[in-house]
Amino acid sequence: MALAEIFEAIAGPDAPVEFQAYDGSSAGAPGSPIKITVRSPVAVSYLAQAPGALGLARAYVSGHLDVEGDMITALARLSKAQETQVSWADRLRLLQSLGGPKVLFPRIPPPPQEVQPRRRGLTVGRMHSKSRDANSISHHYDVSNRFYEWVLGPTMAYTCACYPTEDATLEEAQEYKFDLVARKIGLKPGMRLLDVGCGWGGMVMHAAREYGVKAIGVTLSAEQAMWAQQAIKKAGLEDLAEVRHQDYRDVPETDFDAISSIGITEHIGKANVPGYFAFLNGKLKTGGRMLNHCITRPDNTGPSIYRDGFINRYVFPDGELEGPGWLAGVMNDNGFEIRHEENLREHYSKTLKAWCANLDEHWDEAVEEVGQGTARVWRLYMAGCVLGFDRNVVQLHQILGVKLDSGGNSGMPLRPDWEPSVARARVAS
């Protein structure tokens, strides 16, 4: 059986993509802006040895399968293939037509970009221990600061932006997000802020520059800390802003006026989340506010981690996602009164589309900087995440909590004072 026939059997005879294979067969829609090319038998073996997303990722990342055209559109158009349930009898028939056992054995090693158990020390040791967390963070964030500059743009913000308007730029939306967080946690001149998992220091610098706040950021990525400290010096903010290469559990200071936790809860691990919020509560002054901004699952019906999934193997080793209600409950149970919550799911889809466009624009430079395999991981990962947020597979929630005093006083205004009118004025200026 030709590979094109197998493609039609799985994706359907009218799949809106063009398909070509090394055996000369073709299928789909000739001239389609989306073209899939199976370049070698290795791709077939990857798909047979690890059916589903993992096999597809291995074939694509290794270069044995190509996708030409917009990756987001390609994944969306192949949704029928992803949803198709192939019976075991049909799988055996398809395998036999491809050559039987020879596509299954010998096992082909995954691409070097894939994190596997006991490999390179990344998954050695107790899950979410300090050393293992440091290795996992380094795997993803210590890729190349230049690469991140191309993908993320001038703000170097690698978290969901918040778009004040449909036509706002990525940079405007990221600054809006920083300012939204700043206003939610009530920053004022002279305050002290702890930003946990601070990335390249965007929130730290915004707080110092726009609010006169003494801000400390911590990150497990050495590359991020180095870049951030250089940016702080260049901006002349050394007296107010600091970014450390440090585990948040090792921060010695206490009595902060506010805490921002932006995009780190995903790395904490479900079992450690209660202790994480309790730790942060202990770092706050009475009346201090803490905002947790993180990716979540829509609910708590599924597992927090898919160990053999593409994201865990290629992007965020040991990353875990929980439902928003569970997170709010754990915050509440560990000293925070919940005062506000919102879902920015659509905003993350727009953010990712902007990052995808940036990567496409700098594709040749990115490949030269980090290699074809790593660049392909990012192209596939970000496009897949767009669909994940669009289809409510994942969400992005901001949950605001306050540490009450002994009399139950919150110090919060009667109504939120961080409404969009303030941010619009700031963006317009």
Side-chain angles (χ1 to χ4, degrees):
M1 181 183 289
L3 287 174
E5 294 178 72
I6 295 174
F7 176 81
E8 286 187 342
I10 297 174
D14 301 318
V17 300
E18 182 177 356
F19 175 86
Q20 288 191 343
Y22 63 89
D23 64 359
S25 63
S26 60
S32 170
I34 305 299
K35 182 178 180 181
I36 297 173
T37 304
V38 178
R39 298 203 172 277
S40 78
V42 174
V44 178
S45 292
Y46 272 139
L47 292 167
Q49 293 172 8
L54 187 59
L56 176 65
R58 289 172 174 173
Y60 176 69
V61 170
S62 63
H64 294 284
L65 182 148
D66 273 338
V67 179
E68 298 175 51
D70 179 67
M71 180 62 82
I72 301 171
T73 304
L75 293 179
R77 290 188 178 185
L78 287 172
S79 59
K80 182 180 185 301
Q82 298 171 43
E83 295 166 1
T84 299
Q85 297 295 319
V86 182
S87 68
W88 280 107
D90 286 340
R91 287 186 191 183
L92 290 173
R93 183 175 60 82
L94 292 174
L95 284 173
Q96 191 61 39
S97 68
L98 290 170
K102 71 180 183 182
V103 300
L104 294 175
F105 304 101
R107 303 288 292 179
I108 299 176
Q113 290 77 20
E114 182 175 321
V115 175
Q116 298 177 77
R118 318 296 297 181
R119 184 176 179 177
R120 296 202 308 274
L122 287 172
T123 54
V124 172
R126 183 172 54 83
M127 194 168 175
H128 297 299
S129 63
K130 289 181 180 180
S131 60
R132 180 157 162 172
D133 277 351
N135 286 332
S136 296
I137 292 297
S138 178
H139 169 78
H140 187 72
Y141 293 100
D142 291 343
V143 175
S144 159
N145 283 332
R146 182 175 297 177
F147 173 80
Y148 277 108
E149 287 171 0
W150 288 323
V151 173
L152 304 181
T155 61
M156 285 294 278
Y158 185 35
T159 51
C160 174
C162 187
Y163 285 77
T165 61
E166 280 288 340
D167 59 353
T169 67
L170 173 64
E171 287 68 41
E172 289 171 338
Q174 290 291 15
E175 289 296 333
Y176 183 106
K177 184 269 301 292
F178 288 140
D179 209 61
L180 178 64
V181 173
R183 284 179 285 114
K184 281 185 175 181
I185 57 179
L187 293 186
K188 293 179 176 60
M191 282 186 168
R192 295 171 62 245
L193 169 70
L194 174 63
D195 185 34
V196 189
C198 66
W200 287 269
M203 182 65 205
V204 168
M205 287 187 282
H206 185 90
R209 183 180 62 247
E210 303 296 331
Y211 290 86
V213 166
K214 179 78 171 179
I216 295 174
V218 292
T219 172
L220 285 176
S221 166
E223 292 290 321
Q224 286 182 335
M226 178 184 68
W227 191 98
Q229 280 299 107
Q230 291 173 350
I232 288 169
K233 184 176 181 179
K234 184 177 180 180
L237 296 171
E238 302 101 311
D239 291 342
L240 290 175
E242 177 188 0
V243 167
R244 301 171 182 170
H245 178 214
Q246 184 178 45
D247 192 294
Y248 76 89
R249 289 164 284 197
D250 295 328
V251 173
E253 293 90 346
T254 189
D255 288 334
F256 288 96
D257 296 284
I259 295 176
S260 50
S261 168
I262 306 176
I264 183 176
T265 316
E266 303 92 326
H267 302 288
I268 296 296
K270 186 172 185 176
N272 297 324
V273 170
Y276 174 68
F277 288 138
F279 177 87
L280 296 186
N281 188 271
K283 292 291 182 181
L284 265 182
K285 288 181 178 178
T286 298
R289 304 182 199 174
M290 190 277 287
L291 183 130
N292 192 68
H293 166 123
C294 74
I295 301 170
T296 75
R297 300 198 184 284
D299 52 47
N300 297 303
T301 59
S304 62
I305 184 173
Y306 292 90
R307 297 188 184 281
D308 290 327
F310 169 73
I311 293 291
N312 189 61
R313 288 291 187 95
Y314 281 88
V315 185
F316 294 114
D318 294 344
E320 297 185 62
L321 302 182
E322 292 81 39
W326 185 86
L327 286 167
V330 174
M331 279 180 61
N332 188 80
D333 291 345
N334 285 279
F336 293 102
E337 181 185 51
I338 305 304
R339 302 297 304 216
H340 190 267
E341 190 280 336
E342 64 176 313
N343 184 1
L344 301 179
R345 176 169 65 87
E346 293 86 356
H347 293 263
Y348 216 158
S349 175
K350 286 178 67 67
T351 304
L352 283 154
K353 288 172 183 174
W355 291 343
C356 288
N358 285 346
L359 179 58
D360 286 345
E361 182 180 349
H362 295 282
W363 182 256
D364 291 340
E365 300 103 310
V367 169
E368 184 176 354
E369 177 72 14
V370 301
Q372 184 83 225
T374 298
R376 285 181 175 231
V377 167
W378 274 77
R379 186 178 182 226
L380 184 60
Y381 141 64
M382 293 195 299
C385 285
V386 170
L387 298 183
F389 284 102
D390 282 346
R391 296 175 179 180
N392 197 32
V393 177
V394 282
Q395 301 176 348
L396 188 291
H397 284 261
Q398 286 192 350
I399 307 175
L400 177 66
V402 63
K403 183 175 181 177
L404 303 177
D405 68 17
S406 58
N409 299 305
S410 68
M412 299 285 294
L414 289 177
R415 295 299 302 153
D417 55 359
W418 54 79
E419 294 301 333
S421 58
V422 179
R424 285 198 193 100
R426 188 178 296 279
V427 170
S429 66

